[in-house]
Amino acid sequence: MEIFLNNFKKEGDAFSETNIINILKDIIQVLSPVNTIADNFQIGISIVSTKEIQKLNLEYRGKDQPTNVLSFGINCHPNDNDPLLLGDIVLCKEIIEKEAKEYSKTYENRLKHMIIHGFLHLIGFNHDDNHERITMEEIETQVMNNLSAGDPY
């Protein structure tokens, strides 16, 4: 598993590459009975401004408003032995901070939830209908509890 972080603090940050890898490994462990995903993949995770995520949301989803997280899937193997390129997760720190206060969560736990949410989108989960939403929320809740990060909802 390779992760490329953009705009994350390097030292002393709760969201170091190691911590994010641990979050992703926990997702894979939770999903292993129902979904076979190998840990031989690459993803990029970026933190951007409200203005930038609004621009991305408009360009790629046709929604002219900021959002907390966007996922851009690639799902390709450049060569047979190379890791799967899953895609990118783009997070908006300002929105996530605002939501953390609004939902009485810590910023760290809200960010963990958004990383989990974004990763689930990259591997094919959605919340377009009620059944999909419930399934996705159950996985998010289980992973957050495994991380001792509390109920995300």
Side-chain angles (χ1 to χ4, degrees):
M1 172 181 332
E2 291 182 74
I3 300 175
F4 303 96
L5 301 177
N6 183 28
N7 294 331
F8 281 78
K9 294 179 185 174
K10 298 295 180 201
E11 295 299 321
D13 190 17
F15 296 96
S16 66
E17 183 173 348
T18 301
N19 289 335
I20 292 172
I21 286 172
N22 289 336
I23 292 168
L24 300 179
K25 283 183 176 181
D26 202 74
I27 299 168
I28 293 167
Q29 182 180 353
V30 166
L31 292 174
S32 63
V34 293
N35 192 343
T36 55
I37 180 168
D39 65 358
N40 187 25
F41 61 83
Q42 294 179 342
I43 64 170
I45 304 177
S46 300
I47 294 179
V48 299
S49 69
T50 303
K51 182 178 178 182
E52 183 64 23
I53 206 151
Q54 182 169 347
K55 180 179 172 186
L56 291 169
N57 204 18
L58 176 60
E59 184 173 341
Y60 292 99
R61 295 180 67 226
K63 297 184 178 187
D64 192 12
Q65 62 190 34
T67 188
N68 49 19
V69 61
L70 292 171
S71 297
F72 299 97
I74 299 171
N75 295 318
C76 74
H77 286 279
N79 297 306
D80 289 340
N81 295 328
D82 288 342
L84 173 67
L85 300 175
L86 276 181
D88 293 306
I89 298 170
V90 181
L91 304 154
C92 179
K93 181 177 181 177
E94 292 93 349
I95 299 287
I96 294 169
E97 286 175 331
K98 179 181 158 202
E99 290 175 343
K101 290 176 187 168
E102 189 176 311
Y103 305 143
S104 300
K105 309 289 181 190
T106 66
Y107 168 72
E108 290 79 13
N109 285 345
R110 185 68 182 159
L111 184 57
K112 285 178 187 177
H113 181 201
M114 292 301 95
I115 291 169
I116 294 163
H117 189 87
F119 185 76
L120 289 174
H121 277 306
L122 283 182
I123 61 172
F125 286 86
N126 284 300
H127 42 78
D128 295 332
D129 66 40
N130 197 44
H131 176 72
E132 290 176 330
R133 181 188 57 77
I134 290 169
T135 300
M136 201 165 169
E137 287 178 1
E138 287 173 349
I139 295 166
E140 292 169 346
T141 299
Q142 185 175 351
V143 173
M144 289 290 285
N145 286 328
N146 290 353
L147 297 170
S148 300
D151 187 337
Y153 299 99

